[in-house]
Amino acid sequence: MVKASAPGKCILFGEHAVVYGQPAVACSINQRMVVELEEENKFDSWRLDGGILNFSKHPHIDFLKEKLWPENVMPPLKIRIRGNVPTASGLGSSAALSVALVAALQQLRQEEVDSGIAGQLSHQAEAFAQGGRASPIDTATSASGGFVVLSDTVDETLEHIGERSLQHRDEVTTWQLHSFVADIPDDTYLVIGNTGVHGSTSKQVAKVASLLEQHPERHVEIEAIGSIARRGIEALRTGDMESVGKAMTENHIVLRSLGVSSPELEKLIKAAAPSSLGVKLTGSGGGGCMIALTKNPEKTVGAIEMEGGRAFISPFNSPGVRIETLSSQDNSTQ
Ligand code: PMV
């Protein structure tokens, strides 16, 4: 049996503006998806969590099977999926699952487990599952852990960790991925507050697109988010948490003016603000999650829960994809 895990992510700066070429910054969170694989010769098909795996319902798994066993001579496998990354909340649960699955399959095939390849293959699997389009930020952050910056050009001031291209119909999109080391004090945490409302990324992206089409002058707000993100990166690198928090709150104000917040998000953000250095929505908005940068994580969690949100604490720099050692409990299930 092999077991691999990979973290979810949240976007610290730059959502929506990244669609128009501005940089976006994501970081790994404490919550992880875990995949266990076991060769199971008593069956002749793949099984998922006890039942026969219906590949049409699991396009990520289907894509990876075709990619890794193109001749269709794969061994029968038992797959078990667990994890505590909330689904459909903008925290990258599906990317984390794809990344962990690639690593577990690499281990099972006795290949070197490589976070770069895991990031690349899982991005292709995500794109396949989403009908051809997917930004690589979720899979790259989940694979590498720490901080990832996505932009459309190479930024010489950051560590360039790769390029991703995706062809959708006749259009090829290319992204540049970067990383940097952030100097985060030990007493500073992220608190993630989940509204429990599932926002739709495509709807929120379309909403911003139509606003910009009707009011082209509002592109200044997209540029403003870009400069806030650059300022946020600088503050993260120098460990200036007050400035990181300030930049997060400013980023939220611009996102709100673009119309992608929601009453539920605003309620949680207002509750978290007094105990935090900065607060903002994370991801596409319209529901989903908010994040707070705080030195009082318990107080911030309490304030969010008082308003009906579900909250959890995440330290920074959670490790990327990794192979897990099997515990005696895992072995007893064999
Ligand atoms: O909600 P998420 O984590 O899927 O983030 C969406 C981020 C957007 O910038 C709104 C869209 C995108 O494709 O980058």
Side-chain angles (χ1 to χ4, degrees):
M1 179 157 70
V2 297
K3 184 170 171 180
S5 76
K9 70 92 194 41
C10 68
I11 297 183
L12 285 176
F13 299 107
E15 50 274 89
H16 288 289
V18 70
V19 174
Y20 303 91
Q22 301 294 334
V25 187
C27 71
S28 54
I29 58 172
N30 204 20
Q31 285 61 36
R32 305 180 76 84
M33 295 305 290
V34 184
V35 172
E36 288 173 9
L37 298 180
E38 197 177 350
E39 283 198 39
E40 182 56 270
N41 290 322
K42 69 175 184 256
F43 304 118
D44 58 2
S45 63
W46 284 19
R47 298 179 76 84
L48 175 65
D49 290 331
I52 290 174
L53 170 55
N54 178 349
F55 284 102
S56 67
K57 287 206 180 127
H58 298 277
H60 301 81
I61 303 179
D62 191 21
F63 175 87
L64 292 170
K65 178 192 60 129
E66 293 296 321
K67 192 92 188 167
L68 296 171
W69 284 277
E71 278 96 40
N72 239 349
V73 278
M74 73 270 185
L77 279 187
K78 220 162 83 177
I79 305 175
R80 192 161 164 239
I81 295 171
R82 283 180 291 126
N84 55 1
V85 186
T87 55
S89 310
L91 297 177
S93 67
S94 116
L97 175 60
S98 301
V99 172
L101 181 60
V102 172
L105 287 168
Q106 283 174 329
Q107 172 87 347
L108 187 89
R109 289 159 58 92
Q110 297 179 339
E111 293 165 358
E112 193 188 337
V113 176
D114 178 304
S115 65
I117 295 176
Q120 243 164 45
L121 263 182
S122 55
H123 176 224
Q124 290 169 12
E126 283 281 286
F128 176 77
Q130 292 172 28
R133 282 182 205 277
S135 130
I137 199 161
D138 290 19
T139 44
T141 311
S142 180
S144 71
F147 295 82
V148 169
V149 180
L150 179 79
S151 59
D152 58 356
T153 50
V154 175
D155 183 333
E156 302 291 346
T157 66
L158 302 171
E159 188 198 341
H160 186 231
I161 55 169
E163 181 179 286
R164 299 271 188 281
S165 285
L166 210 62
Q167 178 158 7
H168 182 60
R169 305 215 170 97
D170 292 337
E171 198 187 310
V172 178
T173 313
T174 302
W175 296 271
Q176 304 298 337
L177 294 164
H178 310 78
S179 176
F180 64 90
V181 177
D183 186 12
I184 311 272
D186 287 344
D187 63 351
T188 312
Y189 295 85
L190 272 180
V191 165
I192 299 166
N194 193 345
T195 61
V197 177
H198 292 168
S200 149
T201 300
S202 58
K203 239 191 229 165
Q204 295 301 110
V205 169
K207 195 169 173 182
V208 175
S210 113
L211 177 78
L212 293 173
E213 213 169 282
Q214 284 166 31
H215 302 281
E217 72 284 1
R218 297 199 62 174
H219 270 280
V220 290
E221 288 165 65
I222 299 296
E223 279 149 37
I225 293 179
S227 39
I228 293 168
R230 287 183 200 94
R231 189 150 38 83
I233 294 171
E234 225 15 71
L236 281 164
R237 290 171 93 169
T238 55
D240 177 355
M241 293 296 114
E242 269 72 24
S243 298
V244 176
K246 202 162 152 257
M248 285 169 63
T249 304
E250 284 175 28
N251 192 158
H252 179 71
I253 292 166
V254 187
L255 287 167
R256 187 171 60 197
S257 94
L258 288 172
V260 293
S261 191
S262 72
E264 294 84 1
L265 279 165
E266 289 303 314
K267 203 162 75 169
L268 302 191
I269 283 171
K270 195 167 162 219
S275 58
S276 303
L277 299 168
V279 275
K280 68 184 276 292
L281 68 82
T282 186
S284 53
C289 294
M290 49 73 66
I291 52 174
L293 183 75
T294 176
K295 291 185 190 285
N296 299 296
E298 266 93 25
K299 199 165 170 189
T300 309
V301 164
I304 293 170
E305 287 180 343
M306 283 289 282
E307 289 298 334
R310 272 166 289 154
F312 46 90
I313 300 171
S314 177
F316 284 95
N317 286 314
S318 293
V321 64
R322 66 180 180 209
I323 296 298
E324 301 285 346
T325 45
L326 297 169
S327 63
S328 50
Q329 208 187 1
D330 290 323
N331 287 325
S332 70
T333 64
Q334 274 187 329

Short mmCIF file of all heavy atoms in Angstrom, two decimals, residues 9 11 14-19 24 89-92 134-135 137-138 150 201 204-205 282-285, ligand 1:
data_model
loop_
_atom_site.label_atom_id
_atom_site.label_comp_id
_atom_site.label_asym_id
_atom_site.label_seq_id
_atom_site.Cartn_x
_atom_site.Cartn_y
_atom_site.Cartn_z
N LYS A 9 -5.00 25.20 -0.79
CA LYS A 9 -4.37 26.52 -0.92
C LYS A 9 -5.39 27.63 -0.68
O LYS A 9 -6.60 27.41 -0.73
CB LYS A 9 -3.75 26.67 -2.32
CG LYS A 9 -4.80 26.79 -3.46
CD LYS A 9 -5.16 28.21 -3.77
CE LYS A 9 -6.34 28.52 -4.59
NZ LYS A 9 -7.60 27.99 -4.62
N ILE A 11 -5.81 31.99 -1.85
CA ILE A 11 -5.19 33.09 -2.59
C ILE A 11 -5.05 34.29 -1.65
O ILE A 11 -6.03 34.73 -1.04
CB ILE A 11 -6.02 33.46 -3.85
CG1 ILE A 11 -6.04 32.24 -4.80
CG2 ILE A 11 -5.43 34.68 -4.56
CD1 ILE A 11 -6.77 32.45 -6.11
N GLY A 14 -4.60 38.99 -5.46
CA GLY A 14 -4.61 39.00 -6.92
C GLY A 14 -5.69 38.20 -7.63
O GLY A 14 -5.68 38.16 -8.87
N GLU A 15 -6.64 37.57 -6.90
CA GLU A 15 -7.70 36.85 -7.62
C GLU A 15 -8.45 37.84 -8.52
O GLU A 15 -8.50 39.05 -8.24
CB GLU A 15 -8.67 36.09 -6.70
CG GLU A 15 -9.28 36.85 -5.55
CD GLU A 15 -8.37 36.83 -4.33
OE1 GLU A 15 -7.53 37.75 -4.26
OE2 GLU A 15 -8.52 35.95 -3.47
N HIS A 16 -9.03 37.35 -9.56
CA HIS A 16 -9.73 38.13 -10.61
C HIS A 16 -8.76 38.97 -11.45
O HIS A 16 -8.78 38.87 -12.67
CB HIS A 16 -10.87 38.99 -10.04
CG HIS A 16 -12.05 38.14 -9.64
ND1 HIS A 16 -12.85 37.52 -10.57
CD2 HIS A 16 -12.50 37.75 -8.41
CE1 HIS A 16 -13.77 36.81 -9.93
NE2 HIS A 16 -13.58 36.93 -8.63
N ALA A 17 -7.87 39.78 -10.80
CA ALA A 17 -6.94 40.60 -11.60
C ALA A 17 -6.00 39.69 -12.39
O ALA A 17 -5.53 40.05 -13.47
CB ALA A 17 -6.16 41.53 -10.69
N VAL A 18 -5.74 38.47 -11.87
CA VAL A 18 -4.84 37.54 -12.55
C VAL A 18 -5.39 37.13 -13.92
O VAL A 18 -4.64 36.85 -14.86
CB VAL A 18 -4.55 36.30 -11.66
CG1 VAL A 18 -5.76 35.40 -11.50
CG2 VAL A 18 -3.36 35.50 -12.17
N VAL A 19 -6.71 37.16 -14.06
CA VAL A 19 -7.35 36.83 -15.34
C VAL A 19 -6.92 37.86 -16.40
O VAL A 19 -6.91 37.57 -17.60
CB VAL A 19 -8.89 36.79 -15.17
CG1 VAL A 19 -9.62 36.59 -16.48
CG2 VAL A 19 -9.29 35.72 -14.15
N ALA A 24 -0.86 36.88 -9.19
CA ALA A 24 -1.65 36.38 -8.05
C ALA A 24 -0.71 35.59 -7.14
O ALA A 24 0.21 34.92 -7.61
CB ALA A 24 -2.78 35.49 -8.52
N SER A 89 -15.06 25.26 -2.17
CA SER A 89 -15.00 26.47 -1.35
C SER A 89 -13.84 27.37 -1.75
O SER A 89 -13.47 28.28 -1.02
CB SER A 89 -14.82 26.10 0.12
OG SER A 89 -15.76 25.14 0.49
N GLY A 90 -13.20 27.08 -2.90
CA GLY A 90 -12.08 27.90 -3.35
C GLY A 90 -10.77 27.57 -2.65
O GLY A 90 -9.82 28.35 -2.71
N LEU A 91 -10.71 26.42 -1.96
CA LEU A 91 -9.48 26.07 -1.24
C LEU A 91 -8.67 25.00 -1.96
O LEU A 91 -7.74 24.42 -1.39
CB LEU A 91 -9.80 25.64 0.20
CG LEU A 91 -10.46 26.74 1.06
CD1 LEU A 91 -10.81 26.20 2.44
CD2 LEU A 91 -9.55 27.96 1.19
N GLY A 92 -9.01 24.74 -3.21
CA GLY A 92 -8.17 23.85 -4.03
C GLY A 92 -8.25 22.39 -3.66
O GLY A 92 -7.26 21.65 -3.81
N ALA A 134 -8.08 25.61 -16.87
CA ALA A 134 -7.75 25.61 -15.44
C ALA A 134 -6.47 26.40 -15.27
O ALA A 134 -5.50 26.18 -16.02
CB ALA A 134 -7.56 24.19 -14.92
N SER A 135 -6.46 27.30 -14.32
CA SER A 135 -5.21 28.00 -14.03
C SER A 135 -4.32 27.02 -13.24
O SER A 135 -4.83 26.19 -12.49
CB SER A 135 -5.52 29.27 -13.23
OG SER A 135 -4.70 29.36 -12.10
N ILE A 137 -2.49 27.61 -10.70
CA ILE A 137 -2.06 28.09 -9.38
C ILE A 137 -2.39 27.08 -8.27
O ILE A 137 -1.58 26.87 -7.37
CB ILE A 137 -2.62 29.51 -9.07
CG1 ILE A 137 -1.79 30.14 -7.94
CG2 ILE A 137 -4.09 29.51 -8.78
CD1 ILE A 137 -1.89 31.63 -7.81
N ASP A 138 -3.56 26.43 -8.36
CA ASP A 138 -3.94 25.49 -7.30
C ASP A 138 -2.99 24.29 -7.27
O ASP A 138 -2.48 23.90 -6.22
CB ASP A 138 -5.37 24.95 -7.51
CG ASP A 138 -6.43 26.00 -7.28
OD1 ASP A 138 -6.10 27.20 -7.29
OD2 ASP A 138 -7.60 25.62 -7.07
N LEU A 150 1.74 33.49 -9.60
CA LEU A 150 1.41 33.20 -11.00
C LEU A 150 1.33 34.52 -11.76
O LEU A 150 0.70 35.46 -11.29
CB LEU A 150 0.04 32.52 -11.04
CG LEU A 150 -0.51 32.14 -12.40
CD1 LEU A 150 0.15 30.86 -12.88
CD2 LEU A 150 -2.00 31.93 -12.32
N THR A 201 -17.14 29.98 -9.60
CA THR A 201 -15.99 30.72 -10.14
C THR A 201 -16.33 31.30 -11.50
O THR A 201 -16.08 32.48 -11.76
CB THR A 201 -14.75 29.79 -10.24
OG1 THR A 201 -14.46 29.32 -8.93
CG2 THR A 201 -13.53 30.53 -10.77
N GLN A 204 -18.59 34.34 -11.27
CA GLN A 204 -17.92 35.52 -10.70
C GLN A 204 -16.95 36.13 -11.72
O GLN A 204 -16.84 37.35 -11.83
CB GLN A 204 -17.15 35.14 -9.43
CG GLN A 204 -18.04 34.68 -8.28
CD GLN A 204 -19.04 35.73 -7.85
OE1 GLN A 204 -20.24 35.61 -8.07
NE2 GLN A 204 -18.56 36.80 -7.26
N VAL A 205 -16.26 35.27 -12.48
CA VAL A 205 -15.32 35.76 -13.50
C VAL A 205 -16.11 36.49 -14.60
O VAL A 205 -15.71 37.57 -15.06
CB VAL A 205 -14.46 34.59 -14.07
CG1 VAL A 205 -13.68 35.03 -15.29
CG2 VAL A 205 -13.50 34.07 -13.00
N THR A 282 -11.21 35.19 -0.29
CA THR A 282 -10.17 34.46 -1.02
C THR A 282 -10.80 33.62 -2.11
O THR A 282 -11.83 33.00 -1.88
CB THR A 282 -9.30 33.61 -0.07
OG1 THR A 282 -8.22 33.03 -0.81
CG2 THR A 282 -10.08 32.49 0.61
N GLY A 283 -10.20 33.66 -3.30
CA GLY A 283 -10.77 32.90 -4.43
C GLY A 283 -11.76 33.75 -5.19
O GLY A 283 -11.67 34.99 -5.19
N SER A 284 -12.73 33.10 -5.80
CA SER A 284 -13.58 33.85 -6.73
C SER A 284 -14.67 34.67 -6.04
O SER A 284 -15.23 35.57 -6.65
CB SER A 284 -14.20 32.89 -7.74
OG SER A 284 -14.84 31.86 -7.06
N GLY A 285 -14.99 34.40 -4.77
CA GLY A 285 -16.00 35.19 -4.05
C GLY A 285 -17.42 34.76 -4.35
O GLY A 285 -17.66 33.65 -4.85
O1 PMV B 1 -12.04 30.23 -6.25
P1 PMV B 1 -10.78 29.74 -6.86
O2 PMV B 1 -9.77 29.31 -5.88
O3 PMV B 1 -11.02 28.79 -7.97
O4 PMV B 1 -10.06 31.04 -7.49
C1 PMV B 1 -10.47 31.65 -8.63
C2 PMV B 1 -9.50 32.73 -8.97
C3 PMV B 1 -9.96 33.64 -10.09
O5 PMV B 1 -8.92 34.61 -10.24
C4 PMV B 1 -11.23 34.36 -9.72
C5 PMV B 1 -10.19 32.90 -11.40
C6 PMV B 1 -8.94 32.37 -12.06
O6 PMV B 1 -9.10 31.51 -12.96
O7 PMV B 1 -7.82 32.80 -11.74
#
